[in-house]
Amino acid sequence: MSFEEIEKALAAYADPEKRVVLPRFFKTGKGEYGEGDRFLGVVVPNIRRVARQCQDAPFAVVEQLLGSPWHECRLCGLLILVERFKKADERCRETIYDLYCSNTQWINNWDLVDLSVSYIVGEYLLDKPRTQLYVWAQSHSLWERRMAIVATHAFVRRSDFTDACALSERLLLSQHDLMQKAVGWTLREVGKRKKEVLTAFLDCHAAIMPRTMLRYSIEHFPASERKYYMDQRKKAKSEENGRRI
């Protein structure tokens, strides 16, 4: 299928109400993280439906989708790559990985990152050096930094926690709430698989973690343990404020 045919297939699912709601949900106003993004008004299940139908589209067409001003077209392109990656041989996987990494400027909202990066970048790097993630972790781009940590979910799903913890440590003092949530979410996934790895991380860092990040990471702990770690943070903040007086 051509780019125009895929865009038309997506537009057929457009909902006028969603076209109004989605720009607000994804913070597209002036100065917000999704400033200027445009929406057709198509929900994710329908985007997935089109992506499955068009998963054999040429890579040149997928790259056109990634560069589209329409959010749903970009997501469709990413979901096509996810579908293709599942069935691809190693050579094709490398092509998909390279295509993804060369188009990160268009992967510019949290859903675009979260629905694609661990299933492409994370899966590709399972048996390879993970240098790209550490490069992204230092990026000025919020979305590349989010890619760095969310990609590690592919490793965490296989009980490989080293990079998830290392990148969480590097991103520990992130100021943006979307990064705090992403790091906290990643740590929570680590804890669901091996709690002692998470508690060891928290014992070292809970006192200085942003509140949102900490709350996300301990979400599944018993109330008494959640209180313990929140109190560690509260105590450290109190001591810091005392030193400033």
Side-chain angles (χ1 to χ4, degrees):
M1 295 181 78
S2 68
F3 167 77
E4 291 77 15
E5 288 171 323
I6 296 173
E7 184 180 58
K8 185 177 179 181
L10 287 167
Y13 288 108
D15 179 333
E17 286 188 22
K18 294 295 184 184
R19 190 165 186 168
V20 173
V21 170
L22 290 173
R24 292 200 298 265
F25 182 73
F26 285 103
K27 307 294 185 185
T28 63
K30 187 172 178 58
E32 295 182 308
Y33 60 72
E35 181 177 353
D37 206 353
R38 299 167 62 192
F39 288 80
L40 294 166
V42 187
V43 295
V44 172
N46 289 331
I47 301 172
R48 288 191 183 278
R49 184 174 290 111
V50 174
R52 286 193 295 269
Q53 293 167 352
C54 305
Q55 62 183 277
D56 294 325
F59 286 129
V61 170
V62 175
E63 195 156 19
Q64 281 184 282
L65 289 168
L66 295 180
S68 171
W70 297 110
H71 187 100
E72 292 93 338
C73 286
R74 299 200 302 282
L75 180 54
C76 187
L78 291 167
L79 294 177
I80 288 171
L81 293 180
V82 170
E83 289 297 319
R84 292 276 286 276
F85 192 92
K86 292 175 186 175
K87 305 166 187 174
D89 60 21
E90 185 63 18
R91 184 174 180 182
C92 186
R93 286 186 168 201
E94 182 179 8
T95 298
I96 293 169
Y97 170 81
D98 289 342
L99 180 61
Y100 192 100
C101 291
S102 63
N103 283 278
T104 56
Q105 70 270 33
W106 309 117
I107 308 170
N108 56 357
N109 215 310
W110 58 265
D111 63 320
L112 303 179
V113 173
D114 296 357
L115 293 174
S116 64
V117 72
S118 75
Y119 304 105
I120 295 174
V121 175
E123 292 290 329
Y124 182 73
L125 296 179
L126 284 173
D127 58 352
K128 299 175 182 66
R130 298 164 185 180
T131 310
Q132 181 62 64
L133 304 186
Y134 292 85
V135 172
W136 281 342
Q138 299 179 67
S139 172
H140 292 298
S141 165
L142 165 66
W143 308 118
E144 289 188 346
R145 296 196 305 276
R146 190 169 173 111
M147 286 175 207
I149 192 64
V150 176
T152 68
H153 287 221
F155 317 148
V156 172
R157 288 193 288 267
R158 292 162 173 85
S159 297
D160 176 354
F161 310 121
T162 302
D163 293 288
C165 291
L167 285 162
S168 292
E169 191 170 23
R170 292 193 180 206
L171 296 165
L172 196 68
L173 301 181
S174 298
Q175 296 300 305
H176 202 292
D177 71 322
L178 287 177
M179 283 307 303
Q180 294 174 12
K181 290 174 182 177
V183 174
W185 168 33
T186 302
L187 291 169
R188 183 184 69 203
E189 293 304 303
V190 169
K192 283 163 64 175
R193 286 160 178 81
K194 196 160 188 178
K195 186 176 178 179
E196 54 264 40
V197 174
L198 174 54
T199 55
F201 186 94
L202 295 172
D203 288 342
C204 290
H205 303 298
I208 63 169
M209 289 170 72
R211 181 180 176 85
T212 296
M213 186 187 296
L214 179 57
R215 288 184 69 88
Y216 267 63
S217 68
I218 61 177
E219 188 175 15
H220 294 310
F221 280 15
S224 59
E225 292 181 50
R226 293 200 304 272
K227 183 178 186 304
Y228 170 77
Y229 285 111
M230 294 304 293
D231 284 348
Q232 296 301 303
R233 183 184 181 279
K234 192 180 300 183
K235 179 182 177 183
K237 285 292 181 183
S238 178
E239 290 174 352
E240 181 183 343
N241 291 335
R243 287 193 295 271
R244 289 176 179 173
I245 296 174

